[in-house]
């Protein structure tokens, strides 16, 4: 199956973008190549920009506390494993405590590093990080992979509480609700939502189905146009019936 997610508000959009960026930086950091570590550093700069919302940390702390209170309501429930419940509570409490321990603005340690900020400013210029523009960065990229990885981890480490907290929130969000099977006639599907409080919708199709959902939605209506790529990967409206599963998510 391949799943497409469409967030209904800016808060969930931000969390999904950060999740994607943290996954990328982790993947590229594990490799040894200089080019991969360059991409990892640029991805760190993207995390810095996306996480710049002043209320992001407090939003996550409040959501984790809300989930903690929800979990506590299952205490002494014979249908709930106490061991599993305690593990979930511990995970939420640890993530919340780590967020509370973060001081200052998210990523401030990167902003305070003039060398990193010089790379960030040059990276916004096409070809701006060539060796003649930033010889010190050229030198860094020629260090041993282990040394570069250690430096990248040091720059990433202070932001890991943010990664861990949003991972919990998104996991709980995705686990909410139940998927329902639908069929889009002639590649088009519409549903009135009537002011729904859902925060995200997930559309799942079989991996070998050549359809791409183009989603537009708000709390009142959902519209999906299924397209299929031509030989140049340009999307064309499908005129066939498309079967898919849909899940509305809400915490």
């Amino acid at each position: 199956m391949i799943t497409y997610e469409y967030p209904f508000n800016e808060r969930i959009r931000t969390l999904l973008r950060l999740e994607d960026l943290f996954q990328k930086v982790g993947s590229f950091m594990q490799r040894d190549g200089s080019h991969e570590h360059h991409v990892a550093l640029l991805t760190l700069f993207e995390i810095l920009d996306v996480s710049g919302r002043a209320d992001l940390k407090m939003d996550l702390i409040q959501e984790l506390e809300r989930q903690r209170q929800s979990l506590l309501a299952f205490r002494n429930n014979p249908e709930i494993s106490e061991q599993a419940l305690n593990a979930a509570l511990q995970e939420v409490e640890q993530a919340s405590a780590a967020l509370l321990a973060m001081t200052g603005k998210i990523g401030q340690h990167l902003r305070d590093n003039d060398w990193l900020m010089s790379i960030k400013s040059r990276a916004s210029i096409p070809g701006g990080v060539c060796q003649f523009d930033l010889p010190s960065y050229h030198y860094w990229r020629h260090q041993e992979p282990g040394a570069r990885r250690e430096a990248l981890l040091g720059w990433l480490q202070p932001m890991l509480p943010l990664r861990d907290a949003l991972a919990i929130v998104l996991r709980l969000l995705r686990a909410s609700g139940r998927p329902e099977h639908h069929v889009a006639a002639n590649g088009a599907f519409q549903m009135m939502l009537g002011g729904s409080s859902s925060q995200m919708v997930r559309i799942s199709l079989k991996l070998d189905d050549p359809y791409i959902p183009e989603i537009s939605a708000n709390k009142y209506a959902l519209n999906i146009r299924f397209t299929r790529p031509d030989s140049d990967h340009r999307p064309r409206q499908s005129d066939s019936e498309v079967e898919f599963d849909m899940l509305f998510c809400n915490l």
Side-chain angles (χ1 to χ4, degrees):
M1 299 291 283
I2 179 171
T3 299
Y4 300 83
E5 296 178 329
Y6 187 87
F8 287 177
N9 58 60
E10 191 58 36
R11 183 169 72 98
I12 302 302
R13 284 190 189 93
T14 299
L15 297 186
L16 290 173
R17 288 183 176 124
L18 285 171
E19 177 189 53
D20 180 65
L21 292 171
F22 276 116
Q23 289 173 351
K24 285 179 181 176
V25 74
S27 175
F28 284 114
M29 277 178 57
Q30 294 306 312
R31 305 176 193 180
D32 289 339
S34 169
H35 291 297
E36 285 84 353
H37 287 174
H38 169 67
V39 175
L41 182 58
L42 296 188
T43 307
L44 265 179
F45 294 151
E46 290 187 67
I47 291 173
L48 181 65
D49 290 337
V50 175
S51 63
R53 280 182 51 206
D55 56 349
L56 177 60
K57 184 171 75 172
M58 191 52 61
D59 277 352
L60 286 170
I61 290 172
Q62 290 174 350
E63 185 58 49
L64 288 173
E65 176 59 23
R66 197 165 72 85
Q67 294 304 320
R68 190 180 77 87
Q69 294 298 330
S70 297
L71 290 170
L72 286 172
F74 290 105
R75 286 281 194 204
N76 302 319
N77 187 326
E79 297 182 2
I80 302 296
S81 164
E82 281 293 314
Q83 184 177 3
L85 180 60
N86 288 335
L89 279 167
Q90 184 178 15
E91 183 185 23
V92 169
E93 289 167 357
Q94 287 178 345
S96 184
L99 276 179
L100 285 167
M102 294 177 71
T103 57
K105 195 173 182 181
I106 295 172
Q108 191 58 45
H109 65 290
L110 299 179
R111 297 184 184 89
D112 291 339
N113 188 316
D114 293 338
W115 182 68
L116 288 177
M117 289 301 97
S118 69
I119 298 169
K120 184 176 185 294
S121 64
R122 293 296 308 178
S124 62
I125 303 170
V129 292
C130 282
Q131 53 88 13
F132 56 83
D133 287 310
L134 292 170
S136 63
Y137 184 50
H138 184 62
Y139 171 81
W140 181 82
R141 290 182 62 184
H142 278 76
Q143 301 307 296
E144 289 295 319
R148 291 196 307 266
R149 189 176 296 110
E150 185 178 354
L152 287 166
L153 183 59
W155 298 324
L156 174 65
Q157 195 83 37
M159 293 191 285
L160 291 183
L162 180 66
R163 180 202 64 181
D164 297 340
L166 69 87
I168 294 172
V169 171
L170 289 177
R171 185 174 74 239
L172 293 171
L173 179 64
R174 289 176 175 126
S176 64
R178 292 182 179 179
E180 295 183 354
H181 190 71
H182 294 276
V183 177
N186 298 318
F189 180 85
Q190 184 179 60
M191 176 182 285
M192 304 309 295
L193 302 180
S196 168
S197 60
S198 295
Q199 296 173 291
M200 183 172 72
V201 64
R202 307 185 81 213
I203 307 296
S204 298
L205 298 98
K206 294 178 181 177
L207 192 57
D208 55 356
D209 283 350
Y211 305 114
I212 304 167
E214 296 183 355
I215 307 167
S216 61
N218 54 39
K219 62 182 180 179
Y220 300 107
L222 168 74
N223 289 282
I224 308 174
R225 184 173 77 102
F226 287 93
T227 63
R228 51 189 307 165
D230 62 15
S231 58
D232 293 324
H233 302 285
R234 292 173 300 186
R236 303 291 186 189
Q237 171 98 24
S238 172
D239 57 3
S240 306
E241 284 192 348
V242 180
E243 296 189 30
F244 64 99
D245 291 334
M246 181 164 62
L247 168 65
F248 287 99
C249 307
N250 188 38
L251 288 174

